Amino acid sequence: MKYDTLGNTGVEVSEVGFGAWVVGTDWWGDRTREDAVEMVHHAVDEDVTFFDTGDVYGHGDSEEIIGEALAEVRDEVTVSTKVGYDFYNNPQAGHGELPKKMTPEWIRTALDRSLDRLDMDHVELLMLHNANVGEVDEDVLETLDELREEGKVEAIGWALGPSIGWLADGDAAVANEFDALQTVFNLFEQTPGRHFIDTIRERNADTSVLARVPHSSGLLNEQVTPDTELGEGDHRSHRPTEWYETGWEKVESIRFLERNGERTMGQAAIQWLLAHDEVASVTPTFRTNADIDEWAAAPDTPPLSDEEFERVQDLYADNFGIDRDDGMDALRSSVGGEDLDGTGMKSAGD
């Protein structure tokens, strides 16, 4: 494992982190609480030190599991949580999005409740969960600064989503000097992640990128193949069939990244992300201990050569030679594509 820091905060994260949305919910398979705690312990044993949860994951269950599992190693790990959804007063309808609250009062209340569940007096990173650009005003920014001054958080971040796009929101995070920006970013879905990296470089900003969905919903780790039947409750099933059909063809075009068995496709996908200096950590969806063993070892596999990286970019620019619809238009952007209009960019997955 290798390690990086968030912005200029000094907060250290393992280059492969633990996305704790997988515990506390059944969206990525059923497991007992004991199994979930053991899974977190196994990640620690594999030198994973960055654990990224959120209050809405399992309506607090994920935070409770993370807090319990990390209690004995609290001083050795970095914990992130997210706030912004009001699940306390609204029922969850399947995988649907809950009403959000981004007021200063709610952020404080939600964080205090999160700290109670985590049984911690602070978190290293607090992220606004799927905030829209218009929701993060001067009062919200002032509140985040106050929480840092009070020692309840060390760094602040903006987690983008849930649909794919979010250009305006990510640009606002960089412009407002957030320490971390979390976004869907992977070899197949490079927009808007590459745009944010360009913006960070142009502004000489200290914002670090946290890449989620690094395996493109199971394609790049080959956990979703033509023979896979996704259950109705599996979170990956929200992707249209056309997405996977075109994705399987794309995977075949990048077999060269496995480099004669020196790294798996799943490890290569992580190394592609880590080739960007601005990416501080990658948070894959660990479903089993075998996933942890493989992906936590990714930083120790051969990094992509310049030739391999450029070959990937050439393929991406040509949509990997595929000229048919991938069925993703309805998921392109959280603001109906308006944030991408006039930029000359294609949405993620194009």
Side-chain angles (χ1 to χ4, degrees):
M1 182 62 70
K2 297 177 182 177
Y3 303 88
D4 205 341
T5 56
L6 297 178
N8 61 4
T9 64
V11 173
E12 184 182 83
V13 292
S14 50
E15 288 190 338
V16 176
F18 189 105
W21 42 80
V22 77
V23 297
T25 75
D26 60 2
W27 291 7
W28 290 272
D30 291 325
R31 57 183 54 81
T32 67
R33 186 184 184 92
E34 291 74 20
D35 288 341
V37 169
E38 193 279 329
M39 198 173 171
V40 175
H41 288 165
H42 189 76
V44 172
D45 290 341
E46 294 302 311
D47 298 324
V48 174
T49 61
F50 177 45
F51 293 84
D52 176 27
T53 185
D55 64 356
V56 76
Y57 300 150
H59 292 192
D61 288 348
S62 176
E63 290 177 323
E64 290 183 358
I65 290 168
I66 289 297
E68 176 184 342
L70 297 179
E72 294 186 2
V73 293
R74 179 64 185 98
D75 293 339
E76 303 169 25
V77 296
T78 295
V79 176
S80 167
T81 197
K82 309 177 190 72
V83 299
Y85 282 111
D86 181 9
F87 60 88
Y88 300 96
N89 302 301
N90 298 279
Q92 181 81 50
H95 293 186
E97 188 175 9
L98 289 163
K100 286 185 292 183
K101 283 188 179 180
M102 293 291 170
T103 65
E105 296 79 11
W106 183 258
I107 290 170
R108 283 187 169 277
T109 297
L111 175 59
D112 286 342
R113 292 175 177 178
S114 290
L115 293 175
D116 285 343
R117 286 188 291 267
L118 288 162
D119 195 19
M120 298 175 184
D121 60 9
H122 77 286
V123 289
E124 282 74 22
L125 174 64
L126 174 67
M127 289 196 277
L128 301 181
H129 204 171
N130 299 343
N132 296 119
V133 64
E135 296 172 321
V136 184
D137 57 21
E138 290 300 321
D139 291 338
V140 168
L141 295 174
E142 182 178 353
T143 298
L144 294 174
D145 285 339
E146 290 171 354
L147 291 172
R148 280 202 278 203
E149 292 170 0
E150 294 164 14
K152 290 187 175 182
V153 304
E154 295 183 38
I156 60 169
W158 194 323
L160 306 183
S163 55
I164 296 175
W166 334 297
L167 186 68
D169 308 330
D171 280 349
V174 177
N176 285 290
E177 301 179 342
F178 276 66
D179 304 305
L181 171 60
Q182 187 174 60
T183 183
V184 171
F185 189 27
N186 60 64
L187 192 153
F188 288 164
E189 298 169 286
Q190 298 188 24
T191 302
R194 286 171 58 195
H195 166 81
F196 297 143
I197 286 173
D198 288 342
T199 301
I200 290 168
R201 292 174 181 175
E202 290 167 2
R203 288 179 169 268
N204 195 29
D206 289 317
T207 304
S208 292
V209 173
L210 303 175
R212 67 182 183 92
V213 199
H215 293 124
S216 198
S217 295
L219 289 173
L220 287 163
N221 55 3
E222 300 187 88
Q223 287 188 349
V224 180
T225 72
D227 298 323
T228 303
E229 293 186 11
L230 294 173
E232 184 176 344
D234 192 308
H235 192 60
R236 296 170 299 179
S237 64
H238 77 284
R239 300 272 189 170
T241 300
E242 296 92 336
W243 166 257
Y244 288 108
E245 290 174 345
T246 57
W248 295 323
E249 295 181 39
K250 294 176 184 179
V251 168
E252 292 307 313
S253 73
I254 58 171
R255 288 287 177 196
F256 63 90
L257 290 177
E258 294 170 313
R259 199 192 282 186
N260 298 321
E262 289 187 314
R263 59 188 172 217
T264 65
M265 186 65 74
Q267 290 171 332
I270 291 172
Q271 281 287 23
W272 180 85
L273 286 162
L274 294 176
H276 302 82
D277 291 340
E278 292 76 14
V279 174
S281 186
V282 177
T283 51
T285 301
F286 296 124
R287 297 168 64 88
T288 65
N289 284 351
D291 290 343
I292 296 172
D293 293 339
E294 177 184 346
W295 302 335
D300 296 320
T301 63
L304 267 64
S305 67
D306 291 344
E307 180 182 357
E308 288 171 325
F309 188 87
E310 290 305 319
R311 187 173 173 186
V312 168
Q313 298 315 103
D314 288 343
L315 285 166
Y316 177 80
D318 188 43
N319 197 33
F320 301 86
I322 297 171
D323 61 359
R324 66 183 189 280
D325 182 31
D326 65 5
M328 288 290 286
D329 285 348
L331 300 174
R332 291 296 185 208
S333 173
S334 57
V335 290
E338 295 174 5
D339 54 350
L340 297 177
D341 287 347
T343 67
M345 290 193 298
K346 296 180 179 180
S347 298
D350 279 352

